[in-house]
Each structure stands twice: as structure tokens, then as C-alpha cells.
Amino acid sequence: MKESVRKAYEIARERYAAYGIDTEAVLSKLQDFHLSLHCWQADDVAGFESAGDLTGGIQATGNYPGKARNIDELRADIVKAKSLIPGTHRLNLHEIYGDFGGKRVDRDQVGPEHFQSWIDWAAENDTKLDFNSTSFSHPKSGNLSLSNPDKGIRDFWIEHTRRCREIANQMGMAQGDPCIMNVWVHDGCKDQSVNHYRYRSLLKDSLDQIFAEKMPYMKDCIEGKVFGIGLESFTVGSHDFYTAYAAANGKIPTIDTGHYHPTESPADKVSALLNFVPELMLHVSRPVRWDSDHVTIKDDATQELFSEIVRAGALDRVHYGLDYFDGAINRTGAYVVGSRAAQKCMLCALLEPTELISKYELEGKTFQVLHLLEEAKALPWGAVYDEFCERNDVPLGDAVIAEVEKYEKEVTSKR
Ligand code: RNT
Ligand code: ZN
């Protein structure tokens, strides 16, 4: 196999060179491309706080055996998944995945001490951390958290989110690289309601309070969506709301690819937003008919998203989080498939002969543009990806299945 991978790569290298693309330079860019693996695929967004239901308008479906039940199992699963994904990648933690030592630590009591063991683990495992506040799956979650007219509840969530920024800041300081902290709250209404302006004013005010303190080692991102389950009629943190907030306050909008209307293109947001905001965060997911959070694949929507980032020359202005949670599939395998698919999209984006296509476009030569874009789809990018796996000493093809099945047999099936 090694030999045929090498040969195929050499041919691919020549084919791309004919279009002015240096595959060696592309491979080194791909090596520098870091995903942020979402810890919550390992256990269907359960966390270590309580065995309560998942609330907040999101749902993980499926009951595949072997999910991680505690911090050690989750760490082992992440280490396994990472060993099957070429390159080095970050880990994105949610607050409910703290190391609470068996004690009940309420969300307005959480502190950096509950993440010290994660910080240590990350250093030992050459992994940088990102972070998320958690507004869902809590008795005070209700339908409204940061926009709740009840000041007591609102203040509880403000305190939680403020503390999460301190944790993120601590992580960023320890790892010598900013921790990217995402704020997503589920706030919304199931049915007709008349207080929209009030809720949004409250959310704005809560965010202003949360972000008041400067935190040099972390960056804030804010994530909108169309609607949550059971909150279908109104979403306080809509895209317009957060886009305006981010632009006015220099914050980072999060593009979750499952959070738009079915025919709306998340990819088209990239060039629009980057003219007004410093950076973007991605939550790469796969909506199937709704925000279903299926495992990411290399579909057209995902490809276009990564292509738009590369075409905008914005590789370094984007943080690449994943956000899917499928409980119906081997969860280690899900990490591997989704991460490798995102990498493949990035690879194809980097291999596009954009300069040449752009030249034709600027000359008004439309057929030529279309032709080259179509040709690019069939160039031997797979051979370049296989070579990337070989160089990173990560299995390809069937060998991935064997590894995942072995881990399932020896570890996850015994849970
Ligand atoms: C929900 C958002 C959010 C969550 C995670 C668990 O619709 O996408 O990002 O999926 O925080
Ligand atoms: Zn998301």
C-alpha cells in the first residue's frame, strides 16, 4: 500500500503542478490546519454534572452502546480518535465536562480549579483547549437564560458565563495560545410572543456585562441559530442579532453549518462577515432536513465553506470547530469520519487553482471558470490526502475500520 500511495502522490503532484499548484506547500499548510474536536460527540452531550436530560432545544438521537461515562473514558476516546486523524488538533470543552471530583458544583460556582486537570492533560497530550459556557440541561435553563426577565435567573447565567471566561482565560494562559470561548444560549419561545425587543435588549445587556472584563488569553465568539426544538417560534440570539453585536463589539461570530434555513449558504457568510469582524469560528456540522447534527462529510456545502475561506485568504482568521453529535453510530468512528472529511475539504480548497480561475473570471471568461472548477473536482486530491496520512503515520482506508473496531471490542463495548 505504502508504495502505491507514494506513486499515486507523485502523479498527483505532477498533475497539480501543471495548474501551478505546489502540493508540497499545500501539505505543509494542511499540517498547520488544526480542528477543534468537540468533546461532546463522545457522550451525546451528557457531561459529568448529572444524568439529567439534554434540554435547550437540542437533541442527540440514537443509542449506540459504549458512550463515555466519565472523564477518564472521555479522555481515552479522544486520544484514540486523535490517533486516527492526521495532524494535531485542539479539544473543545463544554463547562459541564469539568473535573468536579464527584461533587455537585453549580454553574455559578464553577472555576478554573475544575479544569486544572484538563489543562494538565492537554499539556501532556500536546492539545490546545477551547471552551464553551453551558446554558442547557439545568433546572434554571427554562426557555430563557441570559435574556430572562427574571433578574435572579439572568444574573445566575451572567455569573456562569463570566466564570467560563475566566476558565477560558486560564486555559489560554497555560497553553500560550488564546482559548476560543463560544457562547451559545438556547433562549427562545415555543409560540407567539410579543416581548421580542425586551428579550433582545436583555440579552444585549447581559452580554455587555459578561464581556466587560478584558481577558487577554481568550477570545469570545457568539453563536446564533434559526430555532431550537420546542422553541420554534422565536430565537432571541438570531443571526441578525449576533452579527450586529459582533460587528459593533469586535466579537467573533460562530457559523454553525446546521443553523441556517435549508437553502441558505453558510459559505456565503464568510466573505460578508470578514469585512466587518476580526475572525470567525466554525461549528462544522451536517444538517439533514433540520439541525440534526449528523456527522460531517465532504458534501458540497462543507466544501464550499472551506473553499470560500481559502479564496478569501482568511485561513488564519478562522477557528475550525466541529459540532455534531450522533448517538446512533460508533462515536470514535464518528470523530474520525467527520474530522477527516473537514480536512479533505480544506485540502481541496487549498488545491484549487484559484489564481488561474480568478484570472479568467476577471477577464469575463465564464465558460473557462466553470470548466476549471469542474475539472478541479476530478483532480487526484485523494492521492494527496493519502500521502498526508502516510506522512503522519495514520492509517488509511480499511485500516481505520480495523482500528476503530479493535477499540470498540477491547474498550467501548465493555462499558
Ligand atoms: C446548538 C449549538 C451549540 C451546541 C453545543 C453543544 O444548536 O450548535 O453549539 O451544539 O454547544
Ligand atoms: Zn454549534
Side-chain angles (χ1 to χ4, degrees), residues 37-38 40-41 45 284-286 292-296 322-326 331 333-339:
L37 299 195
H38 51 316
W40 50 95
Q41 165 60 44
V45 212
V284 186
S285 187
R286 176 165 51 111
S292 61
D293 289 300
H294 277 64
V295 178
T296 294
L322 300 171
D323 182 12
Y324 52 83
F325 31 98
D326 188 342
R331 295 175 185 80
Y335 273 126
V336 178
V337 170
S339 305

Side-chain angles (χ1 to χ4, degrees), residues 7-23 379-380 384:
K7 273 194 213 150
Y9 173 68
E10 284 311 326
I11 293 168
R13 188 177 172 166
E14 277 176 35
R15 296 288 314 281
Y16 280 105
Y19 286 94
I21 303 291
D22 174 358
T23 53
L379 283 173
V384 183

Side-chain angles (χ1 to χ4, degrees), residues 74 80 171 183 211 269 311 391 398:
L74 191 124
K80 185 71 215 177
M171 289 174 172
V183 175
F211 297 143
K269 317 286 170 196
R311 291 168 187 159
R391 290 190 191 182
D398 271 6

Side-chain angles (χ1 to χ4, degrees), residues 33 35 253-260 264-274 280-287 296-315 318-323 341-342 344-350 352:
F33 166 65
L35 293 163
T254 299
I255 298 178
D256 182 311
T257 57
H259 284 193
Y260 297 89
E264 195 176 355
S265 159
D268 189 47
K269 317 286 170 196
V270 172
S271 55
L273 290 170
L274 281 177
L280 296 174
M281 172 69 172
L282 301 185
H283 272 187
V284 186
S285 187
R286 176 165 51 111
T296 294
I297 57 172
K298 189 183 173 301
D299 53 10
D300 287 353
T302 315
Q303 183 56 64
E304 194 62 13
L305 176 65
F306 284 88
S307 295
E308 277 297 283
I309 293 165
V310 173
R311 291 168 187 159
L315 216 55
V318 179
H319 306 281
Y320 300 90
L322 300 171
D323 182 12
K344 289 171 187 166
C345 289
M346 178 50 88
L347 174 64
C348 286
L350 292 168
E352 181 182 273

